[in-house]
Structure formats: C-alpha cells, structure tokens
Amino acid sequence: MASPTSTNPAHAHFESFLQAQLCQDVLSSFQGLCGALGIEPGGGLPQYHKIKAQLNYWSAKSLWAKLDKRADQPEYQQGRACASTKCLVVGAGPCGLRAAVELALLGARVVLVEKRTKFSRHNVLHLWPFTIHDLRALGAKKFYGRFCTGTLDHISIRQLQLLLLKVALLLGVEIHWGVTFIGLQPPPKKGCGWRAQLQPSPSPQLANYEFDVLISAAGGKFVPEGFTVREMRGKLAIGITVNFVNRRTVEETQVPEISGVARIYNQSFFQNLLKATGIDLENIVYYKDDTHYFVMTAKKQCLLRLGVLRQDWQDTDRLLGNANVVPEALQRFARAAADFATNGKLGKLEFAKDAHGRPDISAFDFTSMMRAESSARVQEKHGARLLLGLVGDCLVEPFWPLGTGVARGFLAAFDAAWMVKRWAEGAEPLEVLAERESLYQLLSQTSPDNMHRNVAQYGLDPATRYPNLNLRAVTPNQVRDLYDVVAKEPVRKKSDKIDGGKPATGSAGTQEELLRWCQEQTAGYPGVHVTDLSTSWADGLALCALVHRLRPGLLEPSELQGVGALEATAWALRMAEHELGITPVLSAKAVVTGSDPLGLIAYLSHFHSAFKSMPHNPGSVSQGSQGTSSAVLFLGKLHRTLQRTRAQENGEDTGGKKPRLEVDAKTPSTEEPPVPEAGVPLTPPSQHQEAGAGDLCALCGEHLYILERLCADGRFFHRSCFRCHTCEATLWPGGYEQHPGDGHFYCLQHLPQAGHKEEGSDKGPESQDLPTPDENSMPSGPSGAVTPQERTAPAPSPSQPPRQRIRLSSPERKQLSSLNLTPDPELEPPPKPPRSCLALARQALEGSFVGWGMPVRSPQVPVAMEEEEEQSPPSSEEETEEEEAVALDSHTEQALQILAKNSGTMDKYPTWRRTLLRRAREEEMKRFCKAQAVQRRLNEIETALRELEAEGMKLELALRSQSRSPEQQKALWVEQLLQLVQKKNSLVAEEAELMITVQELKLEDKQWQLDQELRGYMNREETLKTPADRQAEDQVLRKLLDVVNQRDALIRFQEERRLSELASEPGAQG
C-alpha cells in the first residue's frame, strides 16, 4: 500500500504495478508509472536508471538495491557489454523472459513478441536452489510475498511469468502482445538487416525492426528453420494435470504437500488407491500454490475402463484428442485421485478455470520428447550475420517428473546470453558456436548436486555455475555446418532409436574371429575339437570346456566321462547363466541336434563379447574380473533365492536341503561353487525347459526369433508376453512369481495369496462412477501409510545353521528398528536416503546445524541458501515471509520437538521446524526424481529392445529363407545380426543396473514400513500384548532382519563392484 501521506500519483502507480496479478493490469500500471514520470517505456537499460532517479519512493528502494546489485556484476560492464546489439526474443514464457532480462542487463536493445495476451497457466514448477536465489535477487519477494514459503520450493508458471515480466519492463524490454512470429525475412540487399515476419500486421516500427540476434523461446512445437530436432521415445506415458481452487482456509493450509510418490518403490500406496477408487497410477505429485496443483501419470487401460477415454487408438494424438476424452469422466478421475492422496482433507474440490473459462484439467502425452541437436546457428546473407539461439522447451523438452524444466531453462537462458556477449565482443562466429555447443553438452547432465555449491556466486559467466568446465569440448571445426547462408530446408525431425545404452564393446565381428576365439578357449581339453560353430558343440563337451575355462572349479573335465550330450549341455547352459550371467537364447536340445545354428552363434558371441579381453590360460579368469554384467548375475541370484524362500513358506518340498542364499555380498560369488557330489549325476534338464525349446513362446505358442527370446525359469518367452497377468507390467528378475494354481506370472504386487483369488484379477472396477474413499479406506498419506504385511517375504539371512527364533530385549529391538547400515566412509556405499518425513527431519536436524553441538555432515542445501535463510533479514515490511503452517501427526511433532530441545535448536534457531520440514521434503523430492529417471530410462530401453527385435526378425528371416543368396551376403547378414545381439546384451545389462537401483528403493521403503509397524508393537505395554501380538511382532522383526540383510548385500555388492572396476583400470596394478 502507498504511504497515507503520499500524494504523488507515481507512487500509487508503482504500488499497483507491484501488486498486479493480471497481465493487462501489469502493463496498464507500468504505462501509468512511465506517464507520471514522463518517461517513454521500452527504452532499454537507460529507462531503468531514469525511473530509479525520478521515483524517490521508500517502497521502491529495496527493489532498486537488488537490481543494482545484479547489474553491478562485472560481466555486464555497467550495461555496455552489448550496447550496440539488437535482439528479438520470441515467447514470453519463463525462459524467454529470463533471457530477455539478461540481455537487457548487458545493455542490448531487446524486443519481445508474444502471441498470447494473458498469462493463465496455473501449473506449478519445481525450483532448484539456484533458481530460488536468482529470483530473490531480482526482487521476487517484492512482487510475490508468498514466494517459497511452504515446505516445498515451487511457483506457478503464471506467477513466475508475472514477476519476470515486471522485471523485464523495469529494465526497458519492449514487449508486443498478440503478435505471432512466422519466420525470418532475410535482408533483400547489402546494407539491410534481418527482420521478422509477424502476424497480424505489426506496427511500422516493429515491422521495420532489424536485429542481429534471435532468441527463440516459443515452446517445443516451434523451432526456427535450419535446426534439426531429435525425438526421444519411450513407452506410452499419459500425464494428467489438474488445478483446484485454493481458498487458503485453515483446513487447506494444514494439508501437507506431496513431493512425489512413485509406484516403482511404494507399490502399497497405489494398490490401496486401486482398491479404493479403481484408479491405477504410476506416480502422483501435489503442490500447494495459487491453486492446489496435482500431476499424475495414469495407465491407459485404467482410463479406458473408467470411461475417461472412449476408444483405444494406437495414435496418441487421436487417443488423447478432444473427441476421444470424456471431460466429466476425466474430472471425476482427477478429483478421486486428489481426494485419496490428501485423505479428503481439502474438502470439496472446485476446479480452477483455464484461459477459456473451462475446468483447468488436461491429459497429455509425454511418450516422446524433442531435443534440438544444436543450440545455436549463424546465418548470413549480403554480409549481414544473424545469430540464432534456442532456450526453453524448443531446445530440450523436459521430463516433468524430474522437475528440471525451469532450472535447466534458466541455465540455457544464461548460456544464450553469454553467447550474445561473446558475439558482441567480436569473437569469431565459429568460436562462439563451439563454446555454446560445449555448454549445451553439459545441460542434460546438470543437477543441484553436480553444480557449484555456492549459488550466490552464480552469474552470467559459465565458470561460476559449472565445475570442471571445458569450453573447448567442441571445436570450431565441428560446428562448421551450423554457419550457413539462409537455410531453406524445413525443420527435420529425426527419429532417434533411443540411446542404446553403453556401446557394444568387443563385438564378435566375423564368424571367423568368433571361431578362432572359441578354439583358443577350448584348446587342451580332452575330447574337445572345435572346427565349426555348429556340429562341434553337439556333444556338450566344448560348451562345458568353455564354461570351465572361464570359471575353473565348477566341474572337473574328468567328471564328464559317461555323461550324455543333452545332460552335459544342459549343465553348461545352467552354469553359464547362474555363475557367468550369460542368459541362454536356445535350449540344450537345439544345441545337441544342431537345429538352431544361428541361435548357437548368437549365444557364443555373448561369451566372446564379454570375455574377449580375458587371458585364455587355464584358471586365469578370476572371479573378480568377469566380463559379463555383474548386475545381471546378481539379479538372477536374488530371484532364485526369493523363489526358494517362498517355496519354503508355502510348505513346498525343497528336497530336504536348505537353500543357499545366492544374494551374496560379493559379485561374482565367493561361496563354493555347486560341485556335484561323488556318484551323483548332473541334474538333467527339466521337462518344461525342453518343451518348445526356444523356437516357440511358452505363453502364446508363437514362433520366437533370436532377438525376441527372453529366458526365465528355464523357458523362453516374448518380452511382450512376459508380463504380469493382472496389470500387464513388464516383469524383471526378483520382482515376479508364477502362481502354482493358475500357472500365470504376476508381479509381486498382484501375486494372489494361496487359497485366495486376487481381488480385481478376474473382475476389475468396472463402474465409471469413481467412489470417493471414506476415512476407513484412506491411508495416512503416500509416505505415512502402514501397509498390511507383504504376501511374500524377502530372502532369508545368509546364516548356515537352521533358522532359530530370535529373542531380543526391548532396547535391542529399538536399536534394530533404527539401524542404519553405513559402511566405512572410504568405501563410499550408494546413498540410502530415509523414507519417512520424520527420519528425514531427524537426519536434517542432526546433520545441518553446524556449530550447535551437532555432528557435522555435508550440507543438504547450498551454502548461499543457508546464509540467506539464517542471516539475511527482510529488507522491508513487504518482504516478511508468510510462513504456512503444516500439520504433523502427534508422534512426528513430539519427536521433532525432543530433537530440537536436546540440541538447543529451539532457542537458537526459531524457524527450526520449517527448515527441518523443508529439508525433509527436499530429500523426498530427490528420491522421487531418482525413481522417475530410472523408470523413464527403463521405458526407453524397452522401446529400443522392441526396435532391435523388429530389425533382428527381418535379418533372421532373410538368412533362413534366402538359401540361394551369395555366401558373402549371408556372412554380411550374420555379422549384422551379431551386432544387433550385442546391442541387445548391452541394453539388458543397463536394464539390470537400473533394476538394482529399483531394488534399493524398494528395500528402503519396505524397511521404513516394517520399522513403523514394529514401533507400533513396541510402544504397547508388555502386559497388554496378546500371544497373537507377540507372534506378529516376532514375524515383523524377522522380516525386518531379512530386509536389513538384503540391503547389506546390495551395499557390499556395489562396493565389491567398485573395487573390481578400480582394479581393472589401466595402471591399477602399478
């Protein structure tokens, strides 16, 4: 509010400008301010200095101080760095406005065109620490008092656009609304400059505006001519965004936000959601800003079943088109999901309105994302050069669950402005482009953890933001194709076949090279004479010799005397899979009969590519130097252990032997190999292993081509067939089980209990009327729900004696429930963030308040953010933070208070509660982003594997049908097929690595759930416990021990692999 004694109309206009919440109000109040001061708007940086000099108003002084501090950074050279540069910025999104602000600070003349006439996007953006500091330095708290006052750091797109628009206007950016950029108009003759083709017909001043820099920030659907974009595809992914009215009542402020919960590690929450509402989601996020903002990923079959989608179409544009989406059903869907996620505490949810006055809810496809192959170009005609740069979504479309969009968008805006500065300094165009592309290579790798920690030092210079910066990573010679005369070709879309993961090293190359390697590896074994890649392997001895060469000690060659060919081959296939991580692609019968020569060549090529660099002296391959993926081997052992554990729990016959724990601490396994006992023949292959024998899918019965074959439990399947019978999710080792009753495969979430039918397996929720869950069906929140006991137990403890009942005292149980597995610091185990908000808050409290008698740990947020929160007082009354209260359950609240009192934090740091919760939410956000990055890459790998299968099928058909083709052509086809096999093996290895991460996330979540359940029993009085309570407590305790053992095995597996990699590096022995 203006001062009561102030009669200056400029002061009232300035207050209106600060408080304006609509785009037109911002523009009209700024026009009024300039008119009252007698200043022409849009005059560049000199306009700002005139306003500051004439508006001697107490309310403006704090804003001038912030903007002056930014403008005084040396890179801007007091606004003279780009004084002779004229720029056109297309698009008034957050990234376009941020780029315009930087260019204005450099002293350039900046004209911005925007096709819209108002800001209406309520969707909320996650902010990284540096973006918070950057916006505060531009006066964000002055324009928007509630900026980052909750437990999560975010801002709605509309509010972010408004505050950046106000800064841009103050700095003299000339903005034209309702103007659409159509294309470039090259100079007609020498002496003229580049202009823009705009619609509708602009004013003569704008139509004749000549510029030498174009910054495009018009979104992913518009990329200027000359740029090539690449499409990154994954599995079908349907996102739903919805905004509800935030009335800011006391009840609404008490509802905690959800930083993100994902099915990949918290399956119980989504299972409860499915049972209560019929809604099947992959993830959900809830932010509280101007609106209650929810974003979630829904499954297509669920949307079809609930009537949200009318028909199933392969084309995603048609699937999610307006004609195929039922608005009322979509609204019921979103309201029910939001009610469930917040326990119904938001009351009656009313939809916010979008720009057209309709409910602000939409379904969108993020299956594919576009990425420009270059970030800048230079065009020249008649001696006039034009520098073109991309920022925002037209440079890289972000993957929304990672929350990287605005942060990387701002970084790209800074990098583009730095490019313009170098351009204005007279640097050679190719050098400017090479520097820009070097920075672009870093963009997709950036995260808050790998950038400079001190965000206060961030500036226009890239060296202040990126550690280990190399501006010569791309050379000028490599960007010559980015400097051209007027580009006449339209934008080309190149379908990217998805990064194939790690490059396939050690490709088998020719069949001759593969044969020569096999001969070297099997030389010296009695009775083994390898002369070809077919009949020489029929007796099984050559394959056994190859396995023995790579893993001596599994079996002595003399023990193979008298063993049949089929029996020996089956043993070799099984040992190669269990001990070497080589998954079979053909059956033992196919090897013996020679019915699948292409499959045998593909199988042997896996050995060659994995162990090509290994020495071939007998016994030279140590267990720690194996060439196959240790993650594939580890997951296989984990799955077999879990199978045996479930068989024990179900009372199945295990042959009187206690199963070994194959989830060993080290990989490869250091336990004794399974050497057959004297007089006991090798185990023959099971009947189901030979049924179908690799040529037919065990589920659908259709033919299996080599690259389509997926081996699981001794049988072969199509990857597209090997899915959960209930939810159709892809099945991975350690995460599925075959039901003994119906014979179908299920993920662990949907595995029916013995003697019970799976709810929803035969009949799903068919009603289109989505029920609103009542209090009894509500969980306490995504991170607070204590789920029922799991149907399946984790792997048993790796102890050799028979399992005995464990009796622990109450202190010992409490110590176990809070057990934190952390090896020696020098071992650098993978991080294990705690799951619950309480545990996260405890970690933040104990590790962040340095100097208050607490242990010192690495800071959880950058240094500048801590200093700003702890030391910097608000510069004016308007900037006092409006802290929102967040409700906690009594147990968490009491624990936080005890922790704070014991450390003296309550007296020394009054905002301890808010800080703890903020940091707890940050840790949850990191966990969610990690899970979503893994899920996205798994989806991309699955898409890439499908494409490889299609290519392999064509090659295999050609090889099998073209019997009269020249031998040279056949050899070429075989070589191409082997290359595809190596690509597939590389993708499968990367997939296994990601599944290790998934296992870590699941075990963390399961340990937290069991910990909460155990605490519930321990908090009861012993005299009040029934025998059933004590039995249940012991059962939970045993499960907790199993989970702890598995987490310990994962940690030691990661450490052993790290040490193995260090030992295998060149010069390690020296």
Side-chain angles (χ1 to χ4, degrees):
M1 297 294 295
S3 172
T5 59
S6 174
T7 57
N8 190 334
H11 296 177
H13 286 302
F14 182 77
E15 287 296 336
S16 299
F17 176 71
L18 289 181
Q19 304 301 327
Q21 291 296 300
L22 297 176
C23 186
Q24 293 301 324
D25 293 343
V26 172
L27 297 176
S28 60
S29 58
F30 184 73
Q31 290 282 354
L33 174 63
C34 291
L37 297 177
I39 298 173
E40 186 70 24
L45 202 57
Q47 171 208 273
Y48 164 70
H49 294 296
K50 292 178 182 178
I51 293 177
K52 184 180 69 171
Q54 296 187 34
L55 187 63
N56 186 18
Y57 181 39
W58 64 269
S59 182
K61 291 182 179 179
S62 60
L63 180 60
W64 304 150
K66 288 182 177 294
L67 295 179
D68 286 345
K69 183 177 180 181
R70 179 77 185 192
D72 287 341
Q73 292 184 5
E75 291 84 1
Y76 302 118
Q77 300 176 15
Q78 298 296 318
R80 295 189 295 270
C82 299
S84 59
T85 304
K86 296 180 180 180
C87 305
L88 177 68
V89 178
V90 181
C95 298
L97 287 168
R98 192 64 190 86
V101 167
E102 287 302 306
L103 294 173
L105 289 170
L106 286 167
R109 182 186 175 187
V110 184
V111 174
L112 186 148
V113 294
E114 167 59 46
K115 63 181 180 180
R116 297 182 177 87
T117 57
K118 58 183 177 180
F119 298 150
S120 58
R121 297 160 67 191
H122 294 110
N123 292 358
V124 180
L125 301 173
H126 173 65
L127 299 178
W128 288 6
F130 94 84
T131 54
I132 299 171
H133 185 273
D134 177 70
L135 292 171
R136 281 177 172 168
L138 293 177
K141 293 291 293 182
K142 190 74 177 178
F143 299 118
Y144 183 50
R146 287 190 294 271
F147 178 71
C148 288
T149 56
T151 56
L152 290 173
D153 295 323
H154 50 68
I155 189 172
S156 71
I157 298 177
R158 191 181 72 86
Q159 285 292 347
L160 181 57
Q161 288 178 288
L162 283 172
L163 70 89
L164 288 174
L165 171 64
K166 295 173 183 179
V167 175
L169 289 172
L170 288 173
L171 295 179
V173 175
E174 182 181 330
I175 301 178
H176 297 269
W177 302 94
V179 177
T180 302
F181 178 84
I182 303 300
L184 288 169
Q185 182 179 330
K189 58 182 180 179
K190 194 168 186 178
C192 298
W194 291 80
R195 299 179 183 178
Q197 299 178 14
L198 306 171
Q199 287 184 354
S201 299
S203 63
Q205 180 183 2
L206 181 59
N208 297 326
Y209 177 62
E210 296 182 350
F211 48 89
D212 39 30
V213 174
L214 171 68
I215 302 296
S216 176
K221 294 183 179 179
F222 175 79
V223 180
E225 290 186 4
F227 286 90
T228 302
V229 294
R230 182 176 56 176
E231 182 181 16
M232 304 292 291
R233 294 196 62 83
K235 286 197 331 182
L236 176 65
I238 300 176
I240 296 176
T241 61
V242 57
N243 287 277
F244 297 105
V245 174
N246 186 356
R247 301 179 182 83
R248 304 190 187 280
T249 62
V250 175
E251 292 77 12
E252 288 174 298
T253 60
Q254 296 295 313
V255 179
E257 297 176 290
I258 303 173
S259 57
V261 56
R263 177 189 293 273
I264 199 170
Y265 61 82
N266 192 350
Q267 296 181 353
S268 59
F269 170 79
F270 294 96
Q271 190 172 15
N272 293 336
L273 171 65
L274 178 62
K275 290 180 179 179
T277 66
I279 293 175
D280 204 2
L281 299 179
E282 290 289 347
N283 51 47
I284 188 169
V285 173
Y286 162 50
Y287 289 155
K288 192 187 313 177
D289 209 272
D290 281 353
T291 60
H292 296 293
Y293 171 69
F294 291 84
V295 59
M296 61 201 80
T297 302
K299 293 189 176 182
K300 181 180 70 172
Q301 293 303 324
C302 171
L303 295 175
L304 289 167
R305 187 184 71 242
L306 296 176
V308 177
L309 300 178
R310 290 189 170 91
Q311 296 185 48
D312 187 4
W313 301 103
Q314 290 297 321
D315 180 60
T316 53
D317 290 336
R318 192 173 184 183
L319 178 70
L320 300 178
N322 292 333
N324 199 46
V325 176
V326 181
E328 296 78 10
L330 180 62
Q331 293 170 24
R332 290 195 299 268
F333 184 99
R335 183 182 279 115
D339 269 333
F340 183 89
T342 58
N343 297 334
K345 294 181 179 179
L346 287 178
K348 185 178 180 181
L349 293 170
E350 178 186 347
F351 289 95
K353 301 300 182 182
D354 62 12
H356 304 286
R358 299 183 297 235
D360 194 353
I361 180 173
S362 64
F364 63 97
D365 168 42
F366 62 99
T367 303
S368 63
M369 296 179 295
M370 311 305 289
R371 175 186 177 90
E373 292 200 337
S374 61
S375 59
R377 299 185 68 88
V378 173
Q379 296 184 9
E380 180 177 352
K381 187 173 184 181
H382 296 311
R385 293 174 176 171
L386 176 67
L387 176 65
L388 299 94
L390 305 179
V391 298
D393 287 0
C394 65
L395 179 64
V396 179
E397 284 187 327
F399 180 48
W400 73 261
L402 300 186
T404 59
V406 68
R408 291 178 179 169
F410 276 22
L411 290 174
F414 297 154
D415 296 339
W418 176 260
M419 173 185 69
V420 175
K421 179 179 182 294
R422 297 279 290 130
W423 177 267
E425 291 172 347
E428 289 296 323
L430 290 180
E431 291 185 6
V432 173
L433 291 173
E435 281 191 10
R436 179 68 188 96
E437 295 308 308
S438 298
L439 292 172
Y440 184 39
Q441 288 185 348
L442 297 176
L443 186 63
S444 61
Q445 307 168 19
T446 55
S447 70
D449 297 326
N450 61 19
M451 298 181 65
H452 280 308
R453 299 292 296 174
N454 187 7
V455 297
Q457 73 175 10
Y458 282 22
L460 199 60
D461 189 345
T464 63
R465 293 175 270 124
Y466 306 113
N468 305 318
L469 176 65
N470 180 14
L471 289 176
R472 299 186 180 276
V474 177
T475 64
N477 192 48
Q478 293 175 291
V479 295
R480 290 188 177 276
D481 61 325
L482 303 181
Y483 188 177
D484 55 14
V485 184
V486 180
K488 297 182 180 180
E489 297 82 3
V491 177
R492 302 180 298 277
K493 290 188 178 181
K494 186 169 69 177
S495 180
D496 183 30
K497 295 183 179 179
I498 302 302
D499 177 20
K502 303 171 185 175
T505 58
S507 178
T510 63
Q511 296 181 64
E512 290 77 11
E513 181 183 353
L514 176 59
L515 176 60
R516 187 166 52 251
W517 181 82
C518 291
Q519 290 171 337
E520 293 174 352
Q521 296 298 319
T522 58
Y525 284 89
V528 178
H529 303 284
V530 176
T531 59
D532 54 33
L533 296 175
S534 56
T535 59
S536 297
W537 305 84
D539 58 4
L541 297 180
L543 198 56
C544 289
L546 182 59
V547 173
H548 182 269
R549 175 78 71 181
L550 300 173
R551 282 295 301 274
L554 289 178
L555 185 70
E556 290 301 323
S558 59
E559 298 181 26
L560 292 173
Q561 295 180 1
V563 176
L566 188 62
E567 195 173 351
T569 303
W571 177 87
L573 290 174
R574 187 169 61 253
M575 287 302 102
E577 180 182 9
H578 292 187
E579 301 298 330
L580 296 175
I582 303 290
T583 306
V585 295
L586 76 169
S587 65
K589 184 177 179 180
V591 176
V592 173
T593 60
S595 61
D596 191 4
L598 283 178
L600 180 59
I601 293 174
Y603 182 60
L604 293 175
S605 72
H606 196 176
F607 283 91
H608 176 259
S609 62
F611 298 100
K612 181 181 179 180
S613 60
M614 300 296 180
H616 57 269
N617 297 325
S620 60
V621 180
S622 65
Q623 293 182 5
S625 61
Q626 68 169 9
T628 50
S629 169
S630 56
V632 172
L633 187 60
F634 182 86
L635 284 177
K637 292 187 174 186
L638 172 65
H639 179 66
R640 291 188 291 276
T641 298
L642 293 178
Q643 280 185 320
R644 287 198 294 266
T645 303
R646 295 185 193 110
Q648 274 190 326
E649 292 181 347
N650 294 332
E652 296 178 6
D653 182 19
T654 58
K657 295 182 180 179
K658 178 178 173 18
R660 293 185 302 130
L661 177 69
E662 295 197 61
V663 186
D664 198 80
K666 300 180 180 179
T667 299
S669 172
T670 57
E671 59 196 42
E672 290 297 322
V675 180
E677 300 175 6
V680 179
L682 295 174
T683 305
S686 59
Q687 294 179 358
H688 69 260
Q689 183 174 351
E690 292 305 318
D695 291 329
L696 301 179
C697 175
L699 287 176
C700 70
E702 297 294 330
H703 182 76
L704 276 171
Y705 294 93
I706 292 174
L707 267 79
E708 292 180 322
R709 297 174 188 173
L710 182 148
C711 182
D713 298 336
R715 291 183 289 174
F716 294 95
F717 308 89
H718 292 103
R719 283 182 65 95
S720 57
C721 293
F722 194 61
R723 295 176 179 273
C724 174
H725 182 65
T726 299
C727 66
E728 298 185 353
T730 303
L731 301 177
W732 288 295
Y736 72 89
E737 185 62 58
Q738 185 178 17
H739 191 261
D742 57 21
H744 295 300
F745 289 92
Y746 295 90
C747 65
L748 298 185
Q749 180 183 355
H750 297 114
L751 180 65
Q753 292 182 352
H756 295 81
K757 275 192 172 182
E758 171 71 7
E759 293 183 18
S761 60
D762 297 325
K763 58 171 188 175
E766 299 292 341
S767 173
Q768 294 187 12
D769 295 329
L770 299 177
T772 301
D774 54 25
E775 294 180 0
N776 296 328
S777 65
M778 290 286 186
S780 58
S783 62
V786 179
T787 61
Q789 297 173 1
E790 298 281 329
R791 296 190 182 99
T792 58
S797 169
S799 56
Q800 295 301 325
R803 172 177 285 182
Q804 298 178 354
R805 175 163 296 199
I806 301 172
R807 296 291 186 184
L808 298 179
S809 63
S810 294
E812 288 173 331
R813 291 179 178 179
K814 289 185 178 180
Q815 184 177 3
L816 173 64
S817 67
S818 59
L819 181 61
N820 185 16
L821 291 169
T822 306
D824 296 335
E826 58 269 15
L827 295 183
E828 299 179 6
K832 310 183 299 299
R835 180 67 186 95
S836 67
C837 185
L838 170 60
L840 291 165
R842 182 192 301 272
Q843 182 187 42
L845 180 64
E846 294 177 352
S848 301
F849 299 112
V850 179
W852 297 343
M854 303 299 292
V856 178
R857 297 184 185 176
S858 59
Q860 299 296 319
V861 293
V863 176
M865 296 298 296
E866 297 218 5
E867 293 177 353
E868 184 170 351
E869 289 184 8
E870 297 178 18
Q871 298 177 3
S872 300
S875 54
S876 69
E877 294 179 3
E878 287 80 0
E879 295 192 54
T880 303
E881 293 192 356
E882 302 173 13
E883 180 178 347
E884 295 186 6
V886 179
L888 296 175
D889 59 86
S890 58
H891 177 71
T892 303
E893 183 73 36
Q894 183 180 7
L896 287 177
Q897 290 181 359
I898 293 174
L899 287 170
K901 287 180 180 178
N902 292 341
S903 62
T905 304
M906 295 183 68
D907 298 329
K908 299 181 180 180
Y909 195 65
T911 59
W912 61 272
R913 183 177 183 275
R914 174 170 168 260
T915 301
L916 289 184
L917 292 176
R918 178 184 293 274
R919 293 181 182 173
R921 298 297 186 188
E922 288 173 358
E923 291 301 319
E924 289 183 348
M925 174 66 74
K926 289 179 182 178
R927 175 184 175 84
F928 176 73
C929 291
K930 180 179 180 180
Q932 293 308 300
V934 169
Q935 185 67 65
R936 175 68 186 187
R937 184 54 188 158
L938 286 173
N939 292 342
E940 291 178 349
I941 289 175
E942 187 167 346
T943 301
L945 287 172
R946 284 202 302 266
E947 295 177 356
L948 286 177
E949 290 172 359
E951 293 183 44
M953 183 178 67
K954 294 178 182 177
L955 282 173
E956 191 174 345
L957 284 172
L959 282 166
R960 295 184 186 276
S961 61
Q962 301 296 330
S963 58
R964 297 183 180 179
S965 299
E967 292 300 321
Q968 185 177 2
Q969 179 63 54
K970 289 184 178 180
L972 178 60
W973 284 340
V974 171
E975 185 174 349
Q976 293 175 348
L977 183 65
L978 293 180
Q979 290 174 355
L980 294 180
V981 169
Q982 299 312 313
K983 289 181 180 179
K984 174 187 175 181
N985 293 338
S986 177
L987 284 171
V988 170
E990 184 185 357
E991 184 181 50
E993 298 283 352
L994 295 173
M995 289 309 301
I996 293 290
T997 304
V998 172
Q999 289 293 334
E1000 291 175 349
L1001 292 170
K1002 287 183 177 179
L1003 289 174
E1004 289 166 9
D1005 189 74
K1006 192 168 185 179
Q1007 181 176 347
W1008 176 80
Q1009 292 179 6
L1010 291 172
D1011 172 78
Q1012 297 298 308
E1013 195 171 351
L1014 183 61
R1015 286 176 183 272
Y1017 286 114
M1018 292 185 338
N1019 289 337
R1020 300 180 190 176
E1021 293 289 340
E1022 287 291 334
T1023 56
L1024 300 179
K1025 292 181 182 178
T1026 65
D1029 290 337
R1030 293 188 177 90
Q1031 184 178 2
E1033 184 177 1
D1034 287 340
Q1035 185 178 5
V1036 172
L1037 183 60
R1038 287 195 299 269
K1039 286 186 176 183
L1040 184 58
L1041 278 172
D1042 290 338
V1043 172
V1044 167
N1045 284 331
Q1046 289 186 65
R1047 290 193 68 186
D1048 183 51
L1050 277 175
I1051 292 170
R1052 287 185 285 153
F1053 160 76
Q1054 298 278 25
E1055 176 57 22
E1056 180 68 20
R1057 184 172 57 178
R1058 185 183 71 87
L1059 295 177
S1060 177
E1061 291 173 353
L1062 290 176
S1064 63
E1065 289 180 358
Q1069 295 180 354

